Amino acid sequence: MKAIIHEKYGSPDMLELREVDRPEPRPHEVLVKVLATSVNKADWHLLQGEPFPVRLMAGLRKPKYQILGADIAGVVERVGRKVTQFGRGAEVFGDLSGSGFGGFAEYVAADEKRLAKKPSNLTYEETAALPVAAITALQGLRNKGKINAGQQVLINGASGGVGSYAIQIAKSFGANVTAVCSTGKIENALKQGADAVIDYRVQDFTRDNKQYDLIFDVVGNHSLTAISRVLRRKGAYVSCSFSIGVMVSGPWKSMIERKKMMNLLASATPADLQFISKLAEEGKLKPVVDKTFTLDDVPEALQIIGQGRVAGKLVVTL
Ligand SMILES: NC(=O)c1ccc[n+]([C@@H]2O[C@H](COP(=O)([O-])OP(=O)(O)OC[C@H]3O[C@@H](n4cnc5c(N)ncnc54)[C@H](OP(=O)(O)O)[C@@H]3O)[C@@H](O)[C@H]2O)c1
């Protein structure tokens, strides 16, 4: 099979499209013929081996995961002997970031617990745009942020992969959503359902008078003091960018100011994949595909994601 091989930490041009053996599914795994995958910021960090803590998980001197790619959508081709949920021909999607990646290839052996049935109303390309980004938005808003109908929710970084879904998921919970993005992405944010948009190039939301019950932050470019100014008492701040500030002073701020400040480390579960799938089937969550690529173009897609100016998701079709 063809796969994009990652043998050294570095830039996208160190990746190579090569012919390699198809993986053999273990007893709890299925062999999935990958029909689409998508690129995430995590792939960029794993490619570079930066920031350094990434290497504690992915290999200190050289990459442990030779095929990157967490998001997949495809068809089950073979089934391990202990697999119970899927048969040959099942249409599936999933997030393989917790089980060794492998999505940038024609086939991947995936633990059945990392997969769910593909939403019936979406194409494979649309489906592959969902898992990591939509699960991150869901777990940040619902599990950490305890989002509720009628709340004022602000999403900082609302135009990228995670942010575009955060707008839609927050709306599906009945919140009033303010999206923070750049000038060129305002239309997109309104299309995803934002009630109000702040262009961060002309306005700093932490200097406004408006206060929020929940701030979901995928950028992490404001101090906790600034965030605290616009967070209501008993409100919650959820950071996607694993901030040391949140780790160190978050518990103290929670105690003194009665404002919860938390880091998020999302991890896909079958139940959450099904939740996302149901939202998509109900029309409450629409995949946001900025651009599509072929497998050979994965290095180019990674270069773009690394620059951080994507409007939604970059999808790779096979
Ligand atoms: N903690 C977790 O479990 C977890 C899981 C997944 C992802 N993440 C992290 O979450 C972050 C976002 O991921 P993503 O996939 O959404 O990345 P992305 O697609 O690159 O989106 C990031 C967005 O941030 C916007 N942005 C840049 N500077 C900004 C600013 N000053 N104010 C407001 N928005 C700004 C950019 O939009 P403009 O073009 O509008 O500037 C860009 O579209 C990454 O750091 C990723 O590593 C964490």
Side-chain angles (χ1 to χ4, degrees), residues 9 42 45-46 51-60 62-65 97-98 100-101:
Y9 289 122
H45 294 308
L46 287 165
F52 186 77
V54 164
R55 297 196 187 207
L56 300 178
M57 182 270 283
L60 271 182
K62 63 177 193 159
K64 192 158 82 184
Y65 308 115
S97 53
F101 301 86

PDB file of all heavy atoms in Angstrom, residues 9 42 45-46 51-60 62-65 97-98 100-101:
ATOM      1  N   TYR A   9      12.253  13.749  12.748  1.00  0.00           N
ATOM      2  CA  TYR A   9      11.571  14.997  13.085  1.00  0.00           C
ATOM      3  C   TYR A   9      12.089  16.098  12.170  1.00  0.00           C
ATOM      4  O   TYR A   9      13.283  16.139  11.848  1.00  0.00           O
ATOM      5  CB  TYR A   9      11.849  15.383  14.535  1.00  0.00           C
ATOM      6  CG  TYR A   9      11.152  14.472  15.536  1.00  0.00           C
ATOM      7  CD1 TYR A   9      11.882  13.764  16.489  1.00  0.00           C
ATOM      8  CD2 TYR A   9       9.765  14.325  15.525  1.00  0.00           C
ATOM      9  CE1 TYR A   9      11.250  12.938  17.402  1.00  0.00           C
ATOM     10  CE2 TYR A   9       9.132  13.494  16.435  1.00  0.00           C
ATOM     11  CZ  TYR A   9       9.870  12.804  17.366  1.00  0.00           C
ATOM     12  OH  TYR A   9       9.238  11.986  18.264  1.00  0.00           O
ATOM     13  N   ALA A  42      -2.057  18.561  15.620  1.00  0.00           N
ATOM     14  CA  ALA A  42      -1.275  17.522  16.308  1.00  0.00           C
ATOM     15  C   ALA A  42      -0.301  16.853  15.337  1.00  0.00           C
ATOM     16  O   ALA A  42       0.820  16.512  15.719  1.00  0.00           O
ATOM     17  CB  ALA A  42      -2.213  16.479  16.907  1.00  0.00           C
ATOM     18  N   HIS A  45       2.713  19.061  15.070  1.00  0.00           N
ATOM     19  CA  HIS A  45       3.588  18.965  16.251  1.00  0.00           C
ATOM     20  C   HIS A  45       4.371  17.648  16.240  1.00  0.00           C
ATOM     21  O   HIS A  45       5.558  17.613  16.555  1.00  0.00           O
ATOM     22  CB  HIS A  45       2.777  19.081  17.546  1.00  0.00           C
ATOM     23  CG  HIS A  45       2.142  20.431  17.730  1.00  0.00           C
ATOM     24  ND1 HIS A  45       2.857  21.598  17.652  1.00  0.00           N
ATOM     25  CD2 HIS A  45       0.867  20.815  17.989  1.00  0.00           C
ATOM     26  CE1 HIS A  45       2.054  22.629  17.835  1.00  0.00           C
ATOM     27  NE2 HIS A  45       0.840  22.169  18.037  1.00  0.00           N
ATOM     28  N   LEU A  46       3.703  16.560  15.840  1.00  0.00           N
ATOM     29  CA  LEU A  46       4.382  15.253  15.796  1.00  0.00           C
ATOM     30  C   LEU A  46       5.440  15.227  14.701  1.00  0.00           C
ATOM     31  O   LEU A  46       6.495  14.620  14.857  1.00  0.00           O
ATOM     32  CB  LEU A  46       3.365  14.137  15.546  1.00  0.00           C
ATOM     33  CG  LEU A  46       2.467  13.813  16.738  1.00  0.00           C
ATOM     34  CD1 LEU A  46       1.270  12.984  16.298  1.00  0.00           C
ATOM     35  CD2 LEU A  46       3.250  13.062  17.812  1.00  0.00           C
ATOM     36  N   PRO A  51       6.188  21.193  20.557  1.00  0.00           N
ATOM     37  CA  PRO A  51       7.125  21.466  21.635  1.00  0.00           C
ATOM     38  C   PRO A  51       7.679  20.157  22.241  1.00  0.00           C
ATOM     39  O   PRO A  51       7.102  19.092  22.067  1.00  0.00           O
ATOM     40  CB  PRO A  51       6.264  22.238  22.649  1.00  0.00           C
ATOM     41  CG  PRO A  51       4.857  21.882  22.331  1.00  0.00           C
ATOM     42  CD  PRO A  51       4.803  21.568  20.874  1.00  0.00           C
ATOM     43  N   PHE A  52       8.800  20.299  22.968  1.00  0.00           N
ATOM     44  CA  PHE A  52       9.569  19.133  23.402  1.00  0.00           C
ATOM     45  C   PHE A  52       8.734  18.030  24.091  1.00  0.00           C
ATOM     46  O   PHE A  52       8.950  16.845  23.810  1.00  0.00           O
ATOM     47  CB  PHE A  52      10.746  19.549  24.286  1.00  0.00           C
ATOM     48  CG  PHE A  52      11.626  18.377  24.615  1.00  0.00           C
ATOM     49  CD1 PHE A  52      12.520  17.874  23.674  1.00  0.00           C
ATOM     50  CD2 PHE A  52      11.534  17.738  25.840  1.00  0.00           C
ATOM     51  CE1 PHE A  52      13.303  16.761  23.952  1.00  0.00           C
ATOM     52  CE2 PHE A  52      12.309  16.626  26.115  1.00  0.00           C
ATOM     53  CZ  PHE A  52      13.208  16.145  25.180  1.00  0.00           C
ATOM     54  N   PRO A  53       7.752  18.383  24.952  1.00  0.00           N
ATOM     55  CA  PRO A  53       6.988  17.312  25.621  1.00  0.00           C
ATOM     56  C   PRO A  53       6.350  16.326  24.639  1.00  0.00           C
ATOM     57  O   PRO A  53       6.085  15.174  25.008  1.00  0.00           O
ATOM     58  CB  PRO A  53       5.922  18.072  26.416  1.00  0.00           C
ATOM     59  CG  PRO A  53       6.542  19.407  26.671  1.00  0.00           C
ATOM     60  CD  PRO A  53       7.382  19.727  25.467  1.00  0.00           C
ATOM     61  N   VAL A  54       6.130  16.763  23.387  1.00  0.00           N
ATOM     62  CA  VAL A  54       5.585  15.853  22.367  1.00  0.00           C
ATOM     63  C   VAL A  54       6.464  14.609  22.257  1.00  0.00           C
ATOM     64  O   VAL A  54       5.988  13.485  22.086  1.00  0.00           O
ATOM     65  CB  VAL A  54       5.521  16.586  20.995  1.00  0.00           C
ATOM     66  CG1 VAL A  54       5.342  15.612  19.836  1.00  0.00           C
ATOM     67  CG2 VAL A  54       4.408  17.614  21.001  1.00  0.00           C
ATOM     68  N   ARG A  55       7.794  14.800  22.407  1.00  0.00           N
ATOM     69  CA  ARG A  55       8.738  13.678  22.213  1.00  0.00           C
ATOM     70  C   ARG A  55       8.658  12.659  23.343  1.00  0.00           C
ATOM     71  O   ARG A  55       9.066  11.514  23.170  1.00  0.00           O
ATOM     72  CB  ARG A  55      10.167  14.206  22.090  1.00  0.00           C
ATOM     73  CG  ARG A  55      10.324  15.086  20.867  1.00  0.00           C
ATOM     74  CD  ARG A  55      11.768  15.272  20.539  1.00  0.00           C
ATOM     75  NE  ARG A  55      11.913  16.255  19.465  1.00  0.00           N
ATOM     76  CZ  ARG A  55      12.918  16.285  18.622  1.00  0.00           C
ATOM     77  NH1 ARG A  55      13.892  15.413  18.729  1.00  0.00           N
ATOM     78  NH2 ARG A  55      12.988  17.199  17.677  1.00  0.00           N
ATOM     79  N   LEU A  56       8.154  13.085  24.499  1.00  0.00           N
ATOM     80  CA  LEU A  56       8.015  12.128  25.599  1.00  0.00           C
ATOM     81  C   LEU A  56       7.006  11.047  25.221  1.00  0.00           C
ATOM     82  O   LEU A  56       7.109   9.893  25.630  1.00  0.00           O
ATOM     83  CB  LEU A  56       7.566  12.842  26.881  1.00  0.00           C
ATOM     84  CG  LEU A  56       8.526  13.931  27.387  1.00  0.00           C
ATOM     85  CD1 LEU A  56       7.956  14.595  28.624  1.00  0.00           C
ATOM     86  CD2 LEU A  56       9.911  13.346  27.678  1.00  0.00           C
ATOM     87  N   MET A  57       6.046  11.450  24.399  1.00  0.00           N
ATOM     88  CA  MET A  57       5.014  10.508  23.963  1.00  0.00           C
ATOM     89  C   MET A  57       5.380   9.870  22.610  1.00  0.00           C
ATOM     90  O   MET A  57       5.133   8.691  22.379  1.00  0.00           O
ATOM     91  CB  MET A  57       3.698  11.311  23.873  1.00  0.00           C
ATOM     92  CG  MET A  57       2.457  10.579  23.482  1.00  0.00           C
ATOM     93  SD  MET A  57       2.134  10.527  21.724  1.00  0.00           S
ATOM     94  CE  MET A  57       1.516  12.167  21.383  1.00  0.00           C
ATOM     95  N   ALA A  58       6.034  10.651  21.748  1.00  0.00           N
ATOM     96  CA  ALA A  58       6.190  10.211  20.353  1.00  0.00           C
ATOM     97  C   ALA A  58       7.602   9.763  19.994  1.00  0.00           C
ATOM     98  O   ALA A  58       7.878   9.484  18.830  1.00  0.00           O
ATOM     99  CB  ALA A  58       5.761  11.343  19.418  1.00  0.00           C
ATOM    100  N   GLY A  59       8.494   9.653  20.991  1.00  0.00           N
ATOM    101  CA  GLY A  59       9.870   9.221  20.701  1.00  0.00           C
ATOM    102  C   GLY A  59      10.851  10.361  20.927  1.00  0.00           C
ATOM    103  O   GLY A  59      10.692  11.408  20.309  1.00  0.00           O
ATOM    104  N   LEU A  60      11.870  10.120  21.774  1.00  0.00           N
ATOM    105  CA  LEU A  60      12.802  11.207  22.128  1.00  0.00           C
ATOM    106  C   LEU A  60      13.666  11.654  20.954  1.00  0.00           C
ATOM    107  O   LEU A  60      13.725  12.833  20.632  1.00  0.00           O
ATOM    108  CB  LEU A  60      13.720  10.747  23.255  1.00  0.00           C
ATOM    109  CG  LEU A  60      13.242  10.977  24.679  1.00  0.00           C
ATOM    110  CD1 LEU A  60      14.270  10.513  25.675  1.00  0.00           C
ATOM    111  CD2 LEU A  60      12.871  12.447  24.905  1.00  0.00           C
ATOM    112  N   LYS A  62      13.899   9.828  17.672  1.00  0.00           N
ATOM    113  CA  LYS A  62      13.242   9.665  16.374  1.00  0.00           C
ATOM    114  C   LYS A  62      11.796   9.222  16.570  1.00  0.00           C
ATOM    115  O   LYS A  62      11.450   8.646  17.616  1.00  0.00           O
ATOM    116  CB  LYS A  62      14.023   8.734  15.470  1.00  0.00           C
ATOM    117  CG  LYS A  62      14.155   7.335  15.959  1.00  0.00           C
ATOM    118  CD  LYS A  62      14.887   6.527  14.913  1.00  0.00           C
ATOM    119  CE  LYS A  62      14.735   5.081  15.273  1.00  0.00           C
ATOM    120  NZ  LYS A  62      14.916   4.153  14.265  1.00  0.00           N
ATOM    121  N   PRO A  63      10.966   9.525  15.570  1.00  0.00           N
ATOM    122  CA  PRO A  63       9.536   9.286  15.750  1.00  0.00           C
ATOM    123  C   PRO A  63       9.172   7.809  15.913  1.00  0.00           C
ATOM    124  O   PRO A  63       9.649   6.961  15.165  1.00  0.00           O
ATOM    125  CB  PRO A  63       8.914   9.821  14.449  1.00  0.00           C
ATOM    126  CG  PRO A  63       9.971  10.553  13.744  1.00  0.00           C
ATOM    127  CD  PRO A  63      11.285  10.103  14.255  1.00  0.00           C
ATOM    128  N   LYS A  64       8.316   7.573  16.921  1.00  0.00           N
ATOM    129  CA  LYS A  64       7.808   6.227  17.160  1.00  0.00           C
ATOM    130  C   LYS A  64       6.708   5.908  16.130  1.00  0.00           C
ATOM    131  O   LYS A  64       6.548   4.785  15.709  1.00  0.00           O
ATOM    132  CB  LYS A  64       7.219   6.220  18.578  1.00  0.00           C
ATOM    133  CG  LYS A  64       6.895   4.898  19.155  1.00  0.00           C
ATOM    134  CD  LYS A  64       6.851   4.972  20.681  1.00  0.00           C
ATOM    135  CE  LYS A  64       5.532   5.485  21.210  1.00  0.00           C
ATOM    136  NZ  LYS A  64       5.462   5.658  22.653  1.00  0.00           N
ATOM    137  N   TYR A  65       5.947   6.942  15.744  1.00  0.00           N
ATOM    138  CA  TYR A  65       4.841   6.731  14.801  1.00  0.00           C
ATOM    139  C   TYR A  65       5.308   7.104  13.403  1.00  0.00           C
ATOM    140  O   TYR A  65       5.473   8.285  13.098  1.00  0.00           O
ATOM    141  CB  TYR A  65       3.622   7.571  15.200  1.00  0.00           C
ATOM    142  CG  TYR A  65       3.222   7.357  16.637  1.00  0.00           C
ATOM    143  CD1 TYR A  65       3.309   8.401  17.570  1.00  0.00           C
ATOM    144  CD2 TYR A  65       2.786   6.110  17.085  1.00  0.00           C
ATOM    145  CE1 TYR A  65       2.965   8.193  18.895  1.00  0.00           C
ATOM    146  CE2 TYR A  65       2.442   5.902  18.409  1.00  0.00           C
ATOM    147  CZ  TYR A  65       2.535   6.949  19.310  1.00  0.00           C
ATOM    148  OH  TYR A  65       2.197   6.743  20.617  1.00  0.00           O
ATOM    149  N   SER A  97      -5.674   9.070  17.324  1.00  0.00           N
ATOM    150  CA  SER A  97      -4.578   9.735  18.037  1.00  0.00           C
ATOM    151  C   SER A  97      -4.211   9.004  19.328  1.00  0.00           C
ATOM    152  O   SER A  97      -3.093   9.114  19.800  1.00  0.00           O
ATOM    153  CB  SER A  97      -4.895  11.209  18.313  1.00  0.00           C
ATOM    154  OG  SER A  97      -6.126  11.330  18.953  1.00  0.00           O
ATOM    155  N   GLY A  98      -5.146   8.235  19.878  1.00  0.00           N
ATOM    156  CA  GLY A  98      -4.823   7.492  21.100  1.00  0.00           C
ATOM    157  C   GLY A  98      -4.354   6.076  20.820  1.00  0.00           C
ATOM    158  O   GLY A  98      -4.147   5.285  21.743  1.00  0.00           O
ATOM    159  N   GLY A 100      -1.874   5.169  18.067  1.00  0.00           N
ATOM    160  CA  GLY A 100      -0.744   5.007  17.140  1.00  0.00           C
ATOM    161  C   GLY A 100      -0.866   5.665  15.782  1.00  0.00           C
ATOM    162  O   GLY A 100      -0.027   5.433  14.917  1.00  0.00           O
ATOM    163  N   PHE A 101      -1.927   6.461  15.557  1.00  0.00           N
ATOM    164  CA  PHE A 101      -2.093   7.198  14.285  1.00  0.00           C
ATOM    165  C   PHE A 101      -2.135   6.223  13.081  1.00  0.00           C
ATOM    166  O   PHE A 101      -2.651   5.130  13.231  1.00  0.00           O
ATOM    167  CB  PHE A 101      -0.989   8.258  14.130  1.00  0.00           C
ATOM    168  CG  PHE A 101      -1.008   9.237  15.275  1.00  0.00           C
ATOM    169  CD1 PHE A 101      -0.335   8.988  16.468  1.00  0.00           C
ATOM    170  CD2 PHE A 101      -1.746  10.414  15.184  1.00  0.00           C
ATOM    171  CE1 PHE A 101      -0.383   9.881  17.533  1.00  0.00           C
ATOM    172  CE2 PHE A 101      -1.800  11.308  16.246  1.00  0.00           C
ATOM    173  CZ  PHE A 101      -1.112  11.037  17.414  1.00  0.00           C
TER     174      PHE A 101
END
